[in-house]
Amino acid sequence: MSINKIKYIAIISMVCDHLASVFFAPDASIYIVLRLIGRITAPSMCLALAEGFVHTSNRKKYFSRLLTFAVIAQIPFSFFESGTFTLPLGNVLFTFACSFALMEVVENWKKIGALKGIIAVMVLLVLSMKTDWLIFGPLFTLSIYMNKENKDRQAICYAAISVLSFSLSAFMCVSHGLPWYGQVWQIGTLLVIPIIYSYNGGRGSKASFNKWFFYIFYPAHLVVLGLMRW
């Protein structure tokens, strides 16, 4: 499976996730199923991001592109999530930007030095806490990037972070007086493990459409669904 195919799987699962939020009640079976599928989205894009970081010919342009479209998508994201334009939470492209910067820090750890490296990692993780997918986006990305030569290690590390994410979700449910399984669909992140093993190391078609589609589709579909939601 190529990176392009993985991106389109992520897009389809993202639409499923957002359709659930707009059209179904949280206790409906279809809601749970669609949200479960939706957990594929961000981790799959983290896989694509890690591979893009390794293979891109220009990391500065890649990072700038992430930040530019993160800014463009912020108002649509805020509107979709809250019906306002001022949601104090960054969209997932900001999560990916933090993840990208974190990989840069890890790769240049010796050059940066341990102290500056630790500070940089802490700052990026704190920033990611203000974005969609919190610290789990960067952690998913690192689990792929730091084990890029071994799919078994990728899968094990990724699964451990997925279980941690679900455990935190269960804890938050209990702390708010809800059943621990109130967000059982969060465990759907484990569905990305077969994708990790299916990835063939290839990019797929180099057509510009494949490069730009997600960046454009992401804010556009948020606007459309936001109008339906509010």
Side-chain angles (χ1 to χ4, degrees), residues 13-14 16-22 24-26 28-41 80-81 132-133 183-189 191 229:
S13 61
M14 176 176 66
C16 289
D17 188 64
H18 292 166
L19 287 175
S21 298
V22 174
F24 302 103
S29 296
I30 186 64
Y31 175 90
I32 295 171
V33 170
L34 290 175
R35 295 305 302 269
L36 188 78
I37 295 171
R39 297 308 90 191
I40 295 172
T41 307
F80 172 77
E81 291 289 343
D132 200 9
W133 282 85
Q183 292 189 346
V184 67
W185 40 266
Q186 294 281 10
I187 203 65
T189 52
L191 295 174
R229 188 177 197 177

Side-chain angles (χ1 to χ4, degrees), residues 161-227:
I161 297 166
S162 292
V163 171
L164 176 63
S165 174
F166 176 71
S167 299
L168 178 61
S169 174
F171 172 78
M172 294 301 294
C173 285
V174 171
S175 66
H176 286 83
L178 301 172
W180 67 268
Y181 52 84
Q183 292 189 346
V184 67
W185 40 266
Q186 294 281 10
I187 203 65
T189 52
L190 291 175
L191 295 174
V192 175
I193 292 177
I195 295 176
I196 291 173
Y197 281 106
S198 298
Y199 173 50
N200 60 17
R203 173 182 172 183
S205 171
K206 295 183 179 180
S208 295
F209 178 86
N210 294 319
K211 178 179 180 179
W212 295 102
F213 181 71
F214 176 81
Y215 291 109
I216 297 170
F217 181 82
Y218 176 61
H221 96 286
L222 289 175
V223 171
V224 173
L225 291 179
L227 290 171

Side-chain angles (χ1 to χ4, degrees), residues 34-101:
L34 290 175
R35 295 305 302 269
L36 188 78
I37 295 171
R39 297 308 90 191
I40 295 172
T41 307
S44 293
M45 294 303 293
C46 289
L47 169 58
L49 183 71
E51 288 298 309
F53 178 84
V54 172
H55 298 294
T56 185
S57 59
N58 193 319
R59 288 180 180 172
K60 288 184 178 180
K61 283 187 177 180
Y62 199 143
F63 184 68
S64 296
R65 185 163 63 245
L66 285 171
L67 284 180
T68 298
F69 280 92
V71 171
I72 291 171
Q74 186 57 32
I75 289 179
F77 173 76
S78 297
F79 179 64
F80 172 77
E81 291 289 343
S82 66
T84 71
F85 301 125
T86 56
L87 182 72
L89 180 73
N91 64 75
V92 75
L93 291 175
F94 282 116
T95 309
F96 294 156
C98 290
S99 303
F100 193 95

Side-chain angles (χ1 to χ4, degrees), residues 118-140:
I118 291 171
I119 292 172
V121 168
M122 295 301 296
V123 168
L124 288 169
L125 291 178
V126 169
L127 288 175
S128 70
M129 288 294 292
K130 299 294 184 179
T131 72
D132 200 9
W133 282 85
L134 310 175
I135 65 170
F136 295 106
L139 293 180
F140 284 141

